[in-house]
Amino acid sequence: MNVESTAALKACMPADYKSDVKPVWCPGCGDYSVLLAMQKAFAELGTPPEKIALITGIGCSSRIASYTTCYGFHGVHGRALALGTGVKVARPDLTVVVAGGDGDGFSIGGNHFLHACRRNPDLTYIVMDNQVYGMTKGQPSPTTDPEWQSALAPGGTGIRPFHPLVIALASGANFVARCFSGDPNGTAQTLVEAIRHPGFSFVQILSPCVTFRPEQKEWRKVVHPAPVEATDDPARAARRIMSDDNFNIGILYRGSRPPYRPKQSETKIAVADLEREFAT
Amino acid sequence: MNVESTAALKACMPADYKSDVKPVWCPGCGDYSVLLAMQKAFAELGTPPEKIALITGIGCSSRIASYTTCYGFHGVHGRALALGTGVKVARPDLTVVVAGGDGDGFSIGGNHFLHACRRNPDLTYIVMDNQVYGMTKGQPSPTTDPEWQSALAPGGTGIRPFHPLVIALASGANFVARCFSGDPNGTAQTLVEAIRHPGFSFVQILSPCVTFRPEQKEWRKVVHPAPVEATDDPARAARRIMSDDNFNIGILYRGSRPPYRPKQSETKIAVADLEREFAT
Amino acid sequence: MPAKSQQGAQSVSVALVGSGGAGVMTAGTILLDAAAKAGWYGLMTRSVGPQIRGGESAALLRLSTTPVECHGDSFDVLIAVDWQNFTRFAKEVPLSAHSVVLADPAAGAPPATVVDIGLQIIDVPMQEILKKVAGGRPNMLALGLAAAVLGVPDDIVTKVVERRLGKKGGEALESSLQSVQAGRAAAPALDGRFTLAPAADATATRWLMSGNQAAGLGALRGGVRFVAAYPITPATEVLEWMAPRLTKLGGALVQAEDELASINMIIGASFGGVPSLTATSGPGYSLMAESIGLAVAAEVPIVVVNVMRGGPSTGIATKSEQADLNIAVYGLHGDAPHVVVAPTSIGDCAVTSQWAVHLAEKLQTPAIVLSDQFLGQAQAVLSPPVDTGEGPDRLINAAPQAPAARYEVTESGVSPMTIPGVAGGQYISESLTHNIRGRPSTLADDHLAQIEKRQRKLSTFDYGERWADIDGDGPIAIISWGSCCAPIREAISRLNGGGKDLRLISLRLISPVQPERMAEALNGVKRALIIEQSHSGQLYRYLRAYYDLPKDTQCYHRPGPLAFTPGEIRDQIARMQ
Amino acid sequence: MPAKSQQGAQSVSVALVGSGGAGVMTAGTILLDAAAKAGWYGLMTRSVGPQIRGGESAALLRLSTTPVECHGDSFDVLIAVDWQNFTRFAKEVPLSAHSVVLADPAAGAPPATVVDIGLQIIDVPMQEILKKVAGGRPNMLALGLAAAVLGVPDDIVTKVVERRLGKKGGEALESSLQSVQAGRAAAPALDGRFTLAPAADATATRWLMSGNQAAGLGALRGGVRFVAAYPITPATEVLEWMAPRLTKLGGALVQAEDELASINMIIGASFGGVPSLTATSGPGYSLMAESIGLAVAAEVPIVVVNVMRGGPSTGIATKSEQADLNIAVYGLHGDAPHVVVAPTSIGDCAVTSQWAVHLAEKLQTPAIVLSDQFLGQAQAVLSPPVDTGEGPDRLINAAPQAPAARYEVTESGVSPMTIPGVAGGQYISESLTHNIRGRPSTLADDHLAQIEKRQRKLSTFDYGERWADIDGDGPIAIISWGSCCAPIREAISRLNGGGKDLRLISLRLISPVQPERMAEALNGVKRALIIEQSHSGQLYRYLRAYYDLPKDTQCYHRPGPLAFTPGEIRDQIARMQ
Ligand SMILES: Cc1ncc(C[n+]2csc(CCOP(=O)(O)OP(=O)(O)O)c2C)c(N)n1
Ligand SMILES: Cc1ncc(C[n+]2csc(CCOP(=O)(O)OP(=O)(O)O)c2C)c(N)n1
Ligand code: SF4
Ligand code: SF4
Ligand SMILES: [Mg+2]
Ligand SMILES: [Mg+2]
């Protein structure tokens, strides 16, 4: 079946979003389930693949675009949010989803994360957080706990982990959620809401790296639904998140800031009209 | 008098930290008072100028290093914190002060700000915040209010301002304060405490740009001392800062995280000892 | 010494100097504007000190009966409101024994370096005079002096003052006009020595614009509708000019958090189908290098304007140099061919940037526009640069057949592109080495096929005659680029017999190289002289690497910040002749 | 076909292929280690598929009686545990009619491309055999097969297996050893065709190391005590090797948030007086460009190791290419001269990086070490690279007289530096154009003086003989660099008469250029051939720009990912001869 050319004509199914490329991921990698959740979410939204731009950086997780049938961009390390912002501003009609890893998004890409939250373009940012650099074979990322041993940081980094959700809230993200890849249905549902929510939606997905952080297989046992409903008060959301156990799953904040749209003047002109100003 | 070579021999005076270079700043620029406050603070600390490394980026404010008699680095735009971290890790004996503007620190330098807070090296970071790019003649910075008119953003940016103190707290800064350049004595006192405090100390100094934001001359009338004492609870500090009027002056947070020091092994070896591992 | 005929001088140079910020610049702009209205051509540059505001500054003007884009060897007239810090920029205001200085004795004695030249110094008691004008303005008095000396008609100056200062309101305008008149009245009789002759084509349309504005205009003409950028001297005016105009054209400008973001934003927007541009200078350009390489590999059209300033590092932000040629041509990791073009004059900034948009889109590649601070920030009165009519002629596959082969190997090397939103055209724009479908590949064959394709599309494209401007056909060739071209043109025209043994090749297409066209352009050439404003001779080395130059090829090169003068270049050429 | 004498072959190539991740790599490493202990030299590279883990992989070994740093034209022996995805890397394992394949028929038929070669295929029922070994391991069986075919002594293999796998504990070790023995027992008799002759200097010291480790060692020898970096393939091992060792030497490694931070951290540390280094690859290097320019302008010594991979953009992270020469030499804005060096062999990574530290410190400038993925990630058994004894010989002003003239114009071009903490030596390390005291300046004279000084210190320094390795003195010169040198050396030695008409210039100092030394090295040369692994011929163009090459100079260049083979190069040379 030729999925790509017929997708627009019929109700979308999750399979319509899956490409024929075999993932490079290790067997058991959490990212397989994120891919599945994404497909389900797109199908539920009913947005045909050609109307979706899936923009990623570099890392195991950032390979995800290739495994879908959407338009995609596999850019350079750390710049996916800037790419995605450009796509959205130029093409407000597209559904823009930006995705990547914790290294890509919070280490090299940290500045764009801050400023995308602040700028609030209408797109959804998904970080597959495995608390490690998978692609480069196991170095600590900003979300790695300070004691974790690795060749590059023998004895651990000793550095306090970065708290993506708190930073997102503090910088102005308009929708904040945490998911677990082991629950693709719940994740899909959250993604649907994130994409529908206007403005910058940030979704952290705990997605185990079975190769370099095999202990993350245990996450399945410790994740649990957030005990309370999402709030629209950023301060309250921040307080809750700061005091939770980092395994609280669910939508944690829904804001109502209007999304970013560059100013447009009422009166439209032609380029030739500009020439007059130079006449002497 | 040859200040530089005799400084170490006698009690330090503020004037000992002032170089013979005429500032490029506009008459009335708030940065003059920051320079004065810095000199007073150094004198009070009694640290001779040669033991201080003053590291800056690019911008009007970043010119400050030249106007002191300390060792200094006027680097490239946005990278002062990385330079300063390198100096401190390599030379823990030096007093490292990093300084710059809101554009330098929060726009292009935002990622280093996040990660310096998190990493917590024992240095003090001073941002002279005038909510504008002074050096490049008046473009909006991350702290500019969304309605401010400028050639580059006609009608305003429409973007929510960046909240430096909240971000600093959320990312782990160990000391957080806000000062006003119009109060050089108070600022000097805060700087003394910031420099003495172990770990990463962040001091935002409201410092008017009289040329591109002449309305900031009014700041003098609206600043006021923080109504309560500094807390050591980051969540409480964040809540207070989020709800204050942005003109609350004083030390707002004092943390107790141990400063960053790279791991050192007990056993020291020589390079030649390493060669053995390659022998077959 | 200005060429003087019965009809007056062909061109006159005037420097207005004085501290206190924008004063002399305003006077200079009015003078330039008035000269344009009176039918002359002209050029104005500014020299500023390190002070952010209120430091010393100088408005450096040259007015002429024919188009002019460089200063002369020395200034004919210097009007000094005061001498504060004059020595800091004295080298930018060369004077000769034929120059005349008008200065206020109350502002102190002229610097010894000026007096020693042995020129004529005329006292004009400016402060004294202005005491009699309510709210009198020294800069407007200087304007009046200059207008009188040059013979710029009174009514035109008045009209321009009214238009430009009108918004300041009644009293301020009144005192400005009175100050101008006071200046006129105080102007010494100089035997009409510096009076300009009427322009030949006095009624032709003239535009007053800077190169940065021209670059912005060219980009909009070419079809750019999205800009993301981070401010930097001396490129900011490109952006500040474009920002409000883009919103009126239905486009947008985003001020990014840094250059890493701005370059990626424009890549994203262009992937989305909208022709996009950023403008920056050396430090910002460096930061963009990684992602310009992304645009090469993923074949996304983008335009990057680099208005070069003094380097290395932060260098001299406010002065010109041509030392970013290396990084523009060679500064990407891996084999990453792309387009580099350079305007050959202030007005040509429009033509070249329009062409850059066209080439970027047509060849699905980054096109770098290497302008420089002189071209970018100089204000000139010039003939309107033509709209070439070239637009964003991207090869689009509007009715794609799945599976999409985004990176199809074609004869031209250009692969048809699909635009997001179009069903059946989905593909991944890929930074990894990939096959024709955009799938990551590490195979030698795929790698070679795509690398060759990207080189081929650049090498085989027909760039037409615009690759260089060629003047003359003598046996000595001068090869140059950017803001060097204007003083070279003038030097040649000054040489005996109009420099008949000379041939000037002003390069507009820097990369890819055009060996056949160059061979043709050098046909019959015995000796060549390459002229450029860099310490290491970047253009010379680059040409040597890729072209067969005449055996006897020399290079005259030095760094900024001082612009080349026609005399300096004439001396170099004379040495060759 | 391996050269075969009564004493056995001079060198033998073995490929161990099979899916399932690290299995064959472990076997290969043990084989290499055992061969070293037995007195041979050797090389091992790996080929991996796109899969992060568990995909296909191949351990490609060559063992030899003399030092060896490239693979042969084809592999003598291929041992296939299975054929999964073999076609993906088949080009990296060239086979000939003389090759022998040992494969398990149960793992499926060999691919047609292999069968079609017409080589000898010997069935070894590996799975069958392993059924009899408790916990039997196919990779260890392959090891046993290879050891038997090559004649690597049993006891040595056992010892290495014990040492390397000992920590896995009793049972696992036991089954490994039994698998090895089972492999030995199953090995076919091949008339000793692939048995290695004893090495000439079998008792000499041998080291087993990769180029990345060697680069780390050289840096530590040179005095580096601070490293800041961001992980990137294929440079990460430089960092991972250095990290724990730096802490033992009293130094430190900081993992930075990105390359912008890492380059600035090392600049800061070096300003503080501590010799500092970072290691990266193309994408990271691009990001560092702006701040490398800062180190040039502010004259701060730093070392940047770029382990080149396939480009442009993200390209092919795991494969070699030599296409970052342009960016390394030319990739900074403004005129920003600096040092670029390149190791000429795996072991030379140590010598060259030690030299780089020395040059950076001595000349107060960035020194770029251009290694490549092949050199960096290949494991070799080699003669220990010498410690040159060169350390960080920075010109320090320990007793400064205020006011400090940090950027004093000296004859050598090197200005004495003061180190923070020392009274009277305070200065500002300045990115703006500055005068001798480090004060910002926009004066033409200051700009020129500092630009000239920075060029002079590089141009006039005596780099000694180490600028290039020169072998032979024939009239045909081959000029090359990096990992190309090994196959060229082998190609020359294979040519009739030992290639007496050839002369090999292996460049170690890429920049600054050495025109006099090159002229001397080319004395008597009639024709030259430049060999490099880039599509655009970057080395050729660079040499052409700066050197006077023989009139008849050709260039053989192609991109990665496949390494050059001696045969491929011999053909090119033969065409010249
Ligand atoms: C500029 C640059 N620096 C470094 C790298 C190397 N690199 C590739 S992926 C990666 C980190 C991946 O970590 P993460 O984003 O967490 O993704 P994961 O693999 O864990 O899914 C790094 C450092 C690169 N490709 N580009
Ligand atoms: C990489 C780079 N981009 C842009 C610039 C231009 N630039 C110089 S200073 C500056 C902003 C200054 O603003 P801020 O840091 O707030 O300092 P202020 O002048 O207001 O004190 C900019 C954008 C630069 N020097 N380098
Ligand atoms: S290395 Fe980790 S993150 Fe990467 S594919 Fe394997 S399991 Fe997933
Ligand atoms: S432009 Fe503003 S910030 Fe800069 S020196 Fe002037 S007043 Fe100060
Ligand atoms: Mg990760
Ligand atoms: Mg500012």
Side-chain angles (χ1 to χ4, degrees), chain A residues 25 29 31 57-63 76-79 100-106 108 127-137 139 141-143 207 209, chain C residues 290, chain D residues 52 230-233 236 258-259 280-285 287 309 314 317:
Chain A
W25 294 323
C29 176
D31 296 347
I58 297 290
C60 298
S61 40
S62 290
R63 290 294 190 105
V76 295
H77 190 41
R79 313 294 164 209
D102 42 319
D104 193 74
F106 309 141
I108 192 168
V127 171
M128 290 162 254
D129 193 346
N130 55 11
Q131 304 176 359
V132 76
Y133 289 10
M135 188 61 122
T136 49
K137 310 217 178 297
Q139 297 80 28
S141 89
T143 52
S207 180
C209 172
Chain C
E290 188 201 14
Chain D
I52 310 296
Y230 190 72
I232 187 166
T233 308
T236 313
D258 59 19
E259 287 87 351
T280 187
S281 189
Y285 186 85
L287 288 174
R309 63 192 222 183
T314 313

Side-chain angles (χ1 to χ4, degrees), chain C residues 48-50 87-89 91-92 258 260 282-287 289-290 293-298 306 309-319 321 323-324 326-336 431-433 441-445 447-448 451-452 454-455 533-538 540-549 558-562, chain D residues 48-50 87-89 91-92 258 260 282-287 289-290 293-298 306 309-319 321 323-324 326-336 431-433 441-445 447-448 451-452 454-455 533-538 540-549 558-562:
Chain C
V48 288
T87 44
R88 282 234 187 106
F89 55 88
K91 284 221 168 164
E92 296 178 58
D258 58 21
L260 306 159
Y285 187 85
S286 297
L287 287 173
E290 188 201 14
L294 167 63
V296 170
N306 175 350
R309 62 193 225 181
S313 201
T314 314
I316 311 183
T318 54
K319 311 266 165 163
E321 203 165 68
D324 292 358
N326 276 347
I327 191 173
V329 170
Y330 294 114
L332 308 179
H333 73 270
D335 283 310
S431 74
L432 287 167
T433 295
S441 167
T442 58
L443 295 183
D445 292 346
H447 187 47
L448 184 63
I451 282 202
E452 274 185 342
R454 291 191 295 256
Q455 182 61 62
Q533 195 177 26
S534 80
H535 180 252
S536 59
Q538 299 189 0
Y540 167 59
R541 294 293 168 185
Y542 172 61
L543 296 178
R544 201 182 134 116
Y546 283 93
Y547 288 108
D548 289 322
L549 300 173
R558 63 160 176 77
L562 298 177
Chain D
V48 288
T87 44
R88 281 235 188 105
F89 53 90
K91 285 220 168 166
E92 295 178 59
D258 59 19
L260 305 159
Y285 186 85
S286 296
L287 288 174
E290 188 200 12
L294 168 63
V296 170
N306 175 350
R309 63 192 222 183
S313 200
T314 313
I316 311 183
T318 54
K319 311 267 165 161
E321 204 165 68
D324 292 358
N326 276 347
I327 192 174
V329 170
Y330 295 113
L332 308 178
H333 73 269
D335 283 310
S431 73
L432 287 167
T433 295
S441 167
T442 59
L443 295 183
D445 292 346
H447 187 47
L448 184 63
I451 280 203
E452 274 185 342
R454 291 192 296 256
Q455 182 61 61
Q533 196 178 24
S534 79
H535 179 252
S536 59
Q538 300 189 0
Y540 167 59
R541 295 292 168 185
Y542 173 59
L543 296 178
R544 199 182 136 115
Y546 282 94
Y547 288 109
D548 289 322
L549 300 173
R558 62 159 177 78
L562 298 177

Side-chain angles (χ1 to χ4, degrees), chain C residues 77-114:
Chain C
V77 181
L78 184 149
I79 303 177
V81 172
D82 61 54
W83 294 104
Q84 201 177 305
N85 291 320
F86 179 76
T87 44
R88 282 234 187 106
F89 55 88
K91 284 221 168 164
E92 296 178 58
V93 193
L95 298 167
S96 79
H98 302 285
S99 309
V100 172
V101 170
L102 309 183
D104 188 345
T113 47
V114 171

